[in-house]
Amino acid sequence: MKPRLPARRRPSALRFPARPGRAAASLLACAVLGPTASACSGGGAEAGAGATGTPGAAGVGDPYFPKLGNGGYDVTHYDLRLAVDRSADRLTGTATITSRATQDLSAFDLDLLGLDVAGATVEGRPAAVRRTGGELVLRPDAEVADHLRGGRTFTTVVRYSGAPRTLTDADGSREGWVRTADGAVALGEPAGGPAWFPGNHHPSDKATYTVAVTVPEELTAVSNGELTSRRTGGAPGSRTTTYTWRTAQPMASYLATVAIGRFRTEESRTGDGLPVFTAVDSEVAAEAEPRLARIPEIVAWEAGKFGPYPFRSTGAIVDRAEDSDYALETQNRPYYPGPPTPGLLVHEMAHQWFGDSVTPADWRDMWLNEGFATYTEWLWSEEKEGVPAERSFDEAYADDANWAFPPARPPDATDLSQPPVYGRGAMVVHRLRRAVDDDEAFFALLAGWTGAHRYGNASTADFTAYAEKATGLDLSRLWSVWLYGDGRPEDPAAPDLPAR
Ligand code: TRP
Ligand code: ZN
């Protein structure tokens, strides 16, 4: 079904090459770092003399995005210092990335698309830089490489600038750096992160973040987490404000955002004392603000079902409808193109548990995000609007669009945003609720699941194993028919549990 969400994505008929064109010429750091940078001489991927490690892999083997993410290290913290011009067209950044080596490394990659790299250091020493497609290959000098043993923590600094790109993702929608009427917004799902900062851009590598953004005084820069400082300075006429945001819980890079514009901001607290920070495009503020007033009610209602809210603040970023054509569950503070309906708020807030706190191990597990967020809408309709979830299930069952492929096996990247992931994903959750046949046990299972993988990653196999263990039921038919099966089962009344 096309759920109660507004048209979120464009139809899949338009297919795009898996990766947008690459323009950036490869750049050797020697050119900018000068002849004293010893690592420049080699200029290739061959191991330097004395280095004992090997290069980290250029991807982590995602079934749809083989080059997304990088092997050989895990990022623990990103410190991003960004300056953005008045038109939000140009960005100058310094990314300080703290990582832990997972192997002995002679070189490693970061994912970055477009933008010019002025230089990079690893452990404070200049590193050779090479660009190939979306990969930024860093080769530290031999002495530093000798230190990069598995288990060691190391710091990488990349200085970069340029006009960040708007990418067209596999289903034709815009991600990466998206210009808006009064600024820009960074949207990262599934592969937009490399458009605005170098990193390990696969959902399996979660990290904490500090994002400091300097903008002309009349603009506001909003990001994830909590605002830790806001400082205005500079000469009259060219005054700028630096907004510093801190995300203390691990975050997947596709959930990282920065939104720049003429926002009206509001700070409040929920009844439980959770800070709420909202930023609304001033053009739509009058319509959006009363809708956002329901955030505390929705967070409390979802926490009652899924377990404690995972983060230290909540809120929303609201742009205009013409700015983008989909909402995104950016961590702490979802992004909405225009004033959100209650159903859309419920959906994006549900992702704070399903997607943001418990993050898919790879992009094939997308239904763990969208199936659960869609099912949360069904639950909301059931409790608040008197529409039984069983009726939402029946409607989804009747909709041909949900039967194109099994939710746990989208054929390719184009399909990640398609109805089977959402509607049929929600049907799986509903079948599970029916099989459990006891709402108290069913909701305990959901809260147990979010608790077991809080702040981590989990796969479909983790979920099916968890559900079987928690219920003690043989759920194999439920999985084989509803989660993995091709086509619509003949008889939805047939039981999912074996006869006993
Ligand atoms: N996750 C977003 C939502 O549910 C929608 C979305 C944005 C999406 N980008 C995507 C879905 C890429 C699949 C693939 O509101
Ligand atoms: Zn969603």
Side-chain angles (χ1 to χ4, degrees):
M1 73 170 204
K2 195 77 202 161
R4 263 140 272 185
L5 298 176
R8 165 193 301 111
R9 318 290 286 168
R10 293 199 219 132
S12 61
L14 275 172
R15 286 189 186 238
F16 287 78
R19 289 251 139 210
R22 328 150 157 184
S26 54
L27 181 151
L28 214 50
C30 326
V32 283
L33 298 172
T36 52
S38 60
C40 294
S41 45
E46 295 73 37
T52 52
T54 52
V60 298
D62 189 274
Y64 308 97
F65 307 98
K67 290 280 180 70
L68 215 51
N70 304 288
Y73 67 98
D74 273 324
V75 177
T76 53
H77 184 71
Y78 291 93
D79 183 299
L80 308 177
R81 313 260 141 190
L82 311 174
V84 177
D85 71 347
R86 192 167 309 265
S87 61
D89 268 338
R90 270 194 70 81
L91 182 156
T92 304
T94 301
T96 302
I97 304 171
T98 309
S99 309
R100 218 184 109 262
T102 55
Q103 66 177 61
D104 295 353
L105 283 170
S106 60
F108 61 93
D109 286 13
L110 293 166
D111 300 319
L112 183 69
L113 279 168
L115 300 165
D116 301 314
V117 173
T121 64
V122 179
E123 292 295 76
R125 306 258 304 246
V129 178
R130 200 158 50 81
R131 306 289 295 270
T132 65
E135 302 293 308
L136 177 68
V137 185
L138 298 189
R139 175 170 295 279
D141 68 35
E143 213 174 298
V144 171
D146 207 45
H147 168 84
L148 300 186
R149 305 296 173 112
R152 289 276 180 86
T153 294
F154 63 98
T155 303
T156 304
V157 178
V158 179
R159 290 182 296 114
Y160 62 104
S161 65
R165 292 191 201 171
T166 306
L167 309 177
T168 302
D169 73 15
D171 71 2
S173 56
R174 290 177 305 147
E175 64 171 337
W177 193 259
V178 177
R179 294 291 321 279
T180 61
D182 58 352
V185 59
L187 298 175
E189 190 180 27
W196 65 285
F197 68 98
N200 198 357
H201 288 290
H202 188 267
S204 55
D205 189 357
K206 299 170 72 167
T208 55
Y209 284 69
T210 303
V211 179
V213 190
T214 301
V215 291
E217 191 185 12
E218 67 274 19
L219 299 177
T220 302
V222 186
S223 183
N224 313 89
E226 293 78 49
L227 184 63
T228 57
S229 78
R230 176 200 161 129
R231 289 202 182 91
T232 298
S238 63
R239 289 163 68 82
T240 59
T241 306
T242 300
Y243 295 83
T244 303
W245 295 87
R246 162 102 190 141
T247 296
Q249 286 77 35
M251 176 164 72
S253 82
Y254 78 93
L255 300 167
T257 190
V258 52
I260 295 156
R262 293 177 185 273
F263 291 119
R264 208 153 98 180
T265 63
E266 252 180 48
E267 288 180 68
S268 61
R269 282 182 189 265
T270 68
D272 298 330
L274 183 71
V276 183
F277 185 103
T278 59
V280 182
D281 183 311
S282 43
E283 294 265 300
V284 298
E287 194 188 340
E289 277 161 7
R291 304 214 190 169
L292 300 184
R294 297 194 75 174
I295 290 172
E297 171 196 357
I298 292 168
V299 175
W301 178 79
E302 293 182 348
K305 300 205 149 19
F306 309 143
Y309 176 75
F311 306 120
R312 287 190 201 159
S313 68
T314 184
I317 300 167
V318 184
D319 265 330
R320 303 178 206 176
E322 71 261 30
D323 289 334
S324 171
D325 54 5
Y326 60 91
L328 184 62
E329 62 268 27
T330 42
Q331 189 155 310
N332 300 89
R333 194 160 288 108
Y335 174 82
Y336 304 95
T341 60
L344 189 56
L345 287 170
V346 164
H347 181 105
E348 303 307 333
M349 292 308 293
H351 278 307
Q352 302 304 307
W353 286 262
F354 301 104
D356 295 17
S357 173
V358 183
T359 304
D362 67 43
W363 286 117
R364 179 152 51 195
D365 299 317
M366 179 68 115
W367 81 279
L368 291 173
N369 289 5
E370 302 304 345
F372 286 78
T374 302
Y375 196 66
T376 309
E377 292 178 71
W378 295 7
L379 291 169
W380 177 267
S381 298
E382 179 167 88
E383 285 190 29
K384 308 283 179 177
E385 293 155 9
V387 181
E390 186 71 15
R391 200 193 309 162
S392 299
F393 173 90
D394 289 343
E395 281 169 17
Y397 181 86
D399 186 346
D400 292 346
N402 281 325
W403 300 100
F405 58 84
R409 289 283 179 269
D412 66 35
T414 318
D415 301 308
L416 294 176
S417 57
Q418 293 305 302
V421 174
Y422 286 73
R424 194 172 157 191
M427 276 187 261
V428 172
V429 185
H430 189 67
R431 295 301 291 202
L432 178 59
R433 182 180 176 193
R434 277 174 49 166
V436 172
D437 197 26
D438 170 356
D439 273 358
E440 208 174 304
F442 169 72
F443 288 113
L445 189 166
L446 294 189
W449 166 250
T450 66
H453 296 281
R454 196 169 164 93
Y455 307 135
N457 292 90
S459 66
T460 298
D462 291 328
F463 181 74
T464 55
Y466 185 88
E468 288 182 348
K469 188 145 186 280
T471 61
L473 298 170
D474 174 359
L475 298 169
S476 50
R477 182 181 185 276
L478 200 162
W479 312 135
S480 68
V481 171
W482 298 93
L483 189 53
Y484 294 112
D486 281 316
R488 178 160 34 203
E490 283 299 320
D491 178 12
D496 291 324
L497 298 177
R500 13 176 250 137

